[in-house]
Amino acid sequence: MSKPGRSQEPERHLEASGPHTGGSQAPSAGGHTGGRAGGRATGWPPSGSRVPRGSRSRRTTAGGAPGAPGAPRRARVRAWPAAGRRENGWHRRPALERVEAASLEEGMRLRVIFLILMGVILAIAVSDVLAGAVGVLRETRARPLTPAEQARYIQEDIAARWHTWSADLIFPTELQYVALGRAQQYARRIGLAPETSCGAGLDAPVGSVLSEHGCLTLLRATYVDQTSTFVVTVGVAVLGSEERRIAATGQLPVDDRVGVRPVAFPGTAGELFGAAQRQHNSWIAAGPYVVLSTAGYADGRTREAVPPEEILHSELWPTAQSIAGRIARALGDEPSAVPQCTQGNVC
């Protein structure tokens, strides 16, 4: 057990610089003598320990032996701050800062590139919108029609008449025509046939040619003359365009026995008019239309029953030509008013 008031740390004594003699020890600088029974030295460090060179001389200089009053105490060696910082990654901080700076610079560069690209895209989009707006304004504002535009307007108006006009406009209920001797007479419409195809309403040699060139439909009506002696069926074949009509009529057969098939209406003056009663067939062109006609006698006489010379000198053929010609001219005439500007007649 330790005694109170005394330090438990063993007293440090340095061995005498001289050799041990006779088991006695040299007295310490402070007058203390240490020893044990038998006269063995009890100095510090213990025997057998290794003391660095020069350590004893440093400890015994300027003040006597260690442990003596007034002798400086041995200072403890503190660790260099840099060592801990290195262990904590302090030496890595500049490298991390360089990496962060490079990453930030790369991000800024990419952002600048992105902004430039977006600016270019927006500029192109704005220019396209402006160009489109200018084009729309140019197209929508009133301006004079060119001759080509006026011609196209006329062609389109004529080509659309077969479905924009009423049946009474295409086939008037009463038609004025010029008979022999230039007498003014009137033909009366006795019936309208249902709309049909060119193949069904025309004889095969004619219908096949028109169908090959894009015939859209066939409209038919039957008329009788002012005296109810002659019966005439008129057919309007609708081609897609005037070019197709020109190509089709160039291939039609030259035969007055084929053409539009007659349409008879029971209870009228033309109820006996059939295929056998046809005396003559013809056609006339107008724009995209081929207007065909076939004529016969209302009393039911067949072609074979009438001598050829009677047909040549009869009013039947001029009457049929006049009725079909009036219908064709109405369909192919230019419109009475052609616009002068894109928005009416005021530019």
Side-chain angles (χ1 to χ4, degrees):
M1 253 178 109
S2 62
K3 295 181 180 182
R6 296 187 61 184
S7 174
Q8 297 181 12
E9 182 177 355
E11 294 181 354
R12 299 179 181 178
H13 301 282
L14 293 176
E15 296 180 358
S17 58
H20 297 283
T21 57
S24 63
Q25 293 181 345
S28 64
H32 294 280
T33 60
R36 294 183 181 177
R40 293 189 61 184
T42 60
W44 185 264
S47 60
S49 63
R50 299 179 61 184
V51 179
R53 283 182 189 175
S55 62
R56 295 185 181 182
S57 60
R58 286 196 298 269
R59 292 185 180 183
T60 57
T61 58
R73 298 187 63 183
R74 183 181 179 184
R76 296 183 181 178
V77 178
R78 296 183 180 178
W80 184 254
R85 293 182 183 177
R86 291 192 186 95
E87 294 175 358
N88 294 331
W90 178 82
H91 64 290
R92 301 179 186 173
R93 187 171 301 170
L96 293 176
E97 291 178 354
R98 289 194 297 271
V99 172
E100 292 177 356
S103 176
L104 181 60
E105 183 179 357
E106 180 69 16
M108 292 295 294
R109 189 176 69 227
L110 293 177
R111 183 177 180 182
V112 169
I113 294 174
F114 173 76
L115 292 177
I116 292 174
L117 290 176
M118 290 301 296
V120 172
I121 293 172
L122 288 176
I124 295 174
V126 170
S127 63
D128 289 344
V129 171
L130 291 177
V134 171
V136 170
L137 289 176
R138 289 179 178 177
E139 290 295 330
T140 56
R141 71 179 181 179
R143 60 175 179 81
L145 289 174
T146 63
E149 289 173 336
Q150 290 181 339
R152 185 168 64 250
Y153 172 85
I154 294 173
Q155 291 177 357
E156 291 175 354
D157 182 83
I158 294 173
R161 288 175 181 174
W162 70 273
H163 63 84
T164 57
W165 281 11
S166 64
D168 290 341
L169 284 176
I170 299 174
F171 300 112
T173 56
E174 192 175 78
L175 280 174
Q176 185 179 6
Y177 67 95
V178 179
L180 292 178
R182 305 188 64 82
Q184 298 289 332
Q185 296 196 16
Y186 292 89
R188 179 171 52 88
R189 189 186 72 193
I190 62 174
L192 289 169
E195 184 178 340
T196 187
S197 64
C198 289
L202 301 173
D203 293 320
V206 178
S208 60
V209 172
L210 297 182
S211 297
E212 289 176 0
H213 289 83
C215 183
L216 301 176
T217 189
L218 179 68
L219 311 176
R220 290 180 296 174
T222 300
Y223 289 85
V224 294
D225 70 331
Q226 190 168 338
T227 61
S228 297
T229 303
F230 308 130
V231 184
V232 181
T233 294
V234 181
V236 177
V238 182
L239 278 298
S241 64
E242 188 171 356
E243 290 75 14
R244 290 185 177 182
R245 190 270 305 163
I246 293 173
T249 53
Q251 299 179 12
L252 288 178
V254 183
D255 187 353
D256 66 347
R257 294 173 298 175
V258 295
V260 62
R261 293 176 180 174
V263 182
F265 292 93
T268 65
E271 61 181 348
L272 299 178
F273 186 47
Q277 284 72 39
R278 291 187 296 178
Q279 303 293 326
H280 191 77
N281 292 275
S282 65
W283 59 266
I284 183 172
Y289 307 107
V290 179
V291 180
L292 305 102
S293 63
T294 184
Y297 291 100
D299 58 6
R301 284 181 287 176
T302 63
R303 183 183 179 98
E304 290 77 13
V306 179
E309 60 275 9
E310 183 179 345
I311 294 296
L312 293 175
H313 297 90
S314 172
E315 294 185 6
L316 176 63
W317 174 232
T319 300
Q321 279 187 318
S322 297
I323 294 173
R326 288 291 304 273
I327 293 173
R329 283 193 300 272
L331 284 172
D333 279 349
E334 292 186 2
S336 58
V338 178
Q340 302 300 313
C341 305
T342 56
Q343 296 181 4
N345 293 322
V346 178
C347 299

